[in-house]
Amino acid sequence: MTITLEKARELLAKAVETQGKGFVYNPSKTGLCYYQPLSVERALSPEDPRVKTGCLVGTALKIHGRMDLLDFLGSVTSMHREDKGQGGDLMDEEAADYFQMAQTHQDGGSTWGKALEAAEELAESLIKARSVEGGEAR
């Protein structure tokens, strides 16, 4: 089932609930985000939050049941493009943009709550643009 913007919003909200809005996945603002938890050997330290959980988008994909994608190395935009190039239908463009917004904020050291807020602002803009394109703007 293709992840639409609406489904992405649901999945990301559930992913945030797993660790809480105040959780910071990348406090050092360095290194990569990983879709699944890091082993202690690969982490900066045993206290590295990336040992506790995968990144926000990885957690959302796991909730969606897409465990096959958790080893992917690259941005969610790259994941989307690669999947689409192979004829897949993992997510639509809006969902990819939404997840990318959250991933960018998370990787910059934001809390998961702030990353969700940024993605939600984008979602509202995308929905508004849809309305204007469809002649539904008021």
Side-chain angles (χ1 to χ4, degrees):
M1 181 172 98
T2 302
I3 300 172
T4 62
L5 176 61
E6 291 71 21
K7 184 66 175 177
R9 294 175 84 181
E10 175 188 320
L11 291 169
L12 204 66
K14 287 180 181 178
V16 169
E17 288 175 11
T18 67
Q19 303 301 318
K21 290 182 178 183
F23 180 73
V24 177
Y25 176 80
N26 192 14
S28 68
K29 301 178 189 175
T30 61
L32 300 171
C33 97
Y34 297 90
Y35 295 104
Q36 62 182 336
L38 283 179
S39 65
V40 174
E41 296 79 29
R42 291 187 65 203
L44 297 175
S45 74
E47 292 79 34
D48 187 330
R50 295 175 297 175
V51 172
K52 184 177 183 181
T53 185
C55 73
L56 185 53
V57 174
T59 302
L61 291 172
K62 183 177 177 181
I63 291 167
H64 189 60
R66 291 303 304 263
M67 305 296 289
D68 58 310
L69 298 170
L70 299 184
D71 287 328
F72 186 82
L73 296 176
S75 70
V76 70
T77 302
S78 297
M79 179 188 293
H80 169 64
R81 285 187 189 136
E82 187 174 310
D83 176 70
K84 191 175 178 180
Q86 296 174 356
D89 62 350
L90 171 62
M91 65 185 77
D92 65 22
E93 295 291 331
E94 289 181 335
D97 290 346
Y98 177 81
F99 280 147
Q100 185 62 53
M101 179 63 73
Q103 189 175 57
T104 298
H105 280 266
Q106 169 205 257
D107 292 353
S110 292
T111 64
W112 277 13
K114 292 288 184 191
L116 177 62
E117 286 176 21
E120 283 297 306
E121 286 178 21
L122 175 63
E124 293 302 323
S125 296
L126 293 170
I127 291 167
K128 188 174 183 177
R130 264 195 233 153
S131 297
V132 170
E133 289 173 13
E136 300 169 20
R138 303 193 200 291

